[in-house]
Amino acid sequence: MITGLFTLSGSPDPAFAGIPEKGRWGGLCCHQLTSGCFSGAYYLNDRLPLSGKDIYYHDETDGLIVLFSGYIYNKAELASNYGFSIGEPEPAMTAAMFRHDGPAFVKRLNGDFAIFIGQPAEKQAYLFRDQIGIRPLVYAAERERLTFSSDITGLCKNLADGDLPQSRFLLGFFKYVDYSLTPSAGVHRLMPGHYLHFSARGVKLTRYWGPEKIHARHGLTYDRMMTDLKALLADAVAIRCDRRFRAGAHVSSGLDSGTVAALARKEYGEQKSFTGFSWSPGDYTPET
């Protein structure tokens, strides 16, 4: 989880929005961040093979700040195009691409991510959300303050100031509503495939991904379609298999999860066991 507050003038409260200076939250360790007009935090599970470099980047020369939640899967391609090491952590990669291409860099990413980029010297900040919205990201923008978090409920609670949840948001369980809504009127979701620019001019939202522009290939034969689909699925699984982690799979007993689990198992051949997780009633035992 990442969260933060960026101001256009002055220094924000290090304990903004109820973020503790130290301690734990939901079993995760809180790491406090403070740099000039930015204050924030990220949360990590101590058991994961991740460090602060996988979440946070700060260049003391120009003040550029990157907070990154998620993963980039086309690292090899990006490293070749931009000239950095494939082993570079995601925040450092993001900083290098942003310096080269500006906010348009996000169009090159294949991954699931919620990203904050702050430029204190230019008095501007950006938020980016992955193409299909795997990673949640919400924000609240005031005149000179941008608050953001990948924890929707937490930010809404902290900024609600005792107000009741929005009734329109609650109706989302019964009918179609505006999916940018959250329980708090002042907190908004950044929609998938969009990025946000915050400056003295206010908030500007830009849509960077348009799936409707993908054209159907009507001349594709069934055999070629199945061959392409098999290759795409195998590649999609392979690029998500991170050797830093011990892997398992969530299976629902269907063909989709079973196929993905089988493909992932091949990628982790060095593991002696590969655990499958599935929902089942409380009185079921592994044998049944």
Side-chain angles (χ1 to χ4, degrees), residues 95-199:
M97 291 185 289
F98 178 79
R99 287 193 175 99
H100 190 274
D101 291 338
F105 84 91
V106 70
K107 298 178 182 179
R108 294 178 174 267
L109 300 187
N110 175 6
D112 57 85
F113 50 83
I115 306 171
F116 164 81
I117 296 179
Q119 292 182 291
E122 286 77 13
K123 294 188 176 182
Q124 62 180 3
Y126 294 86
L127 294 174
F128 302 85
R129 192 175 178 199
D130 65 71
Q131 289 88 338
I132 58 175
I134 296 174
R135 297 276 167 168
L137 187 57
V138 292
Y139 68 93
E142 301 175 44
R143 189 171 178 177
E144 292 195 342
R145 295 160 53 98
L146 174 68
T147 311
F148 66 92
S149 180
S150 59
D151 175 23
I152 298 174
T153 305
L155 188 63
C156 288
K157 281 183 177 180
N158 290 327
L159 298 183
D161 196 25
D163 295 335
L164 294 174
Q166 290 194 92
S167 58
R168 284 198 302 154
F169 168 80
L170 297 176
L171 289 175
F173 293 101
F174 306 101
K175 68 174 189 177
Y176 290 109
V177 299
D178 179 356
Y179 283 98
S180 67
L181 294 175
T182 70
S184 177
V187 178
H188 308 279
R189 297 176 196 259
L190 182 61
M191 298 303 286
H194 284 69
Y195 71 81
L196 175 151
H197 178 223
F198 175 73
S199 68

Side-chain angles (χ1 to χ4, degrees), residues 249-262:
H250 180 270
V251 290
S252 63
S253 77
L255 288 175
D256 295 344
S257 63
T259 302
V260 170

Side-chain angles (χ1 to χ4, degrees), residues 8 16 51 55 70 83-84 86 94 101 106-107 117 130 141 145 151 160 184 192 205 216 218 222 233 241 244 258:
L8 298 179
F16 80 98
S51 69
I55 313 293
F84 47 67
I86 191 174
T94 298
D101 291 338
V106 70
K107 298 178 182 179
I117 296 179
D130 65 71
R145 295 160 53 98
D151 175 23
S184 177
L205 295 171
H218 296 290
Y222 176 82
L233 180 58
C241 292
R244 293 176 298 175

Side-chain angles (χ1 to χ4, degrees), residues 49 237-246 264 266-271:
V237 174
I239 61 177
R240 286 164 173 79
C241 292
D242 191 329
R243 298 305 186 280
R244 293 176 298 175
F245 299 91
R246 179 172 175 81
K266 293 179 181 179
E267 298 293 328
Y268 290 93
E270 74 283 358
Q271 280 190 200

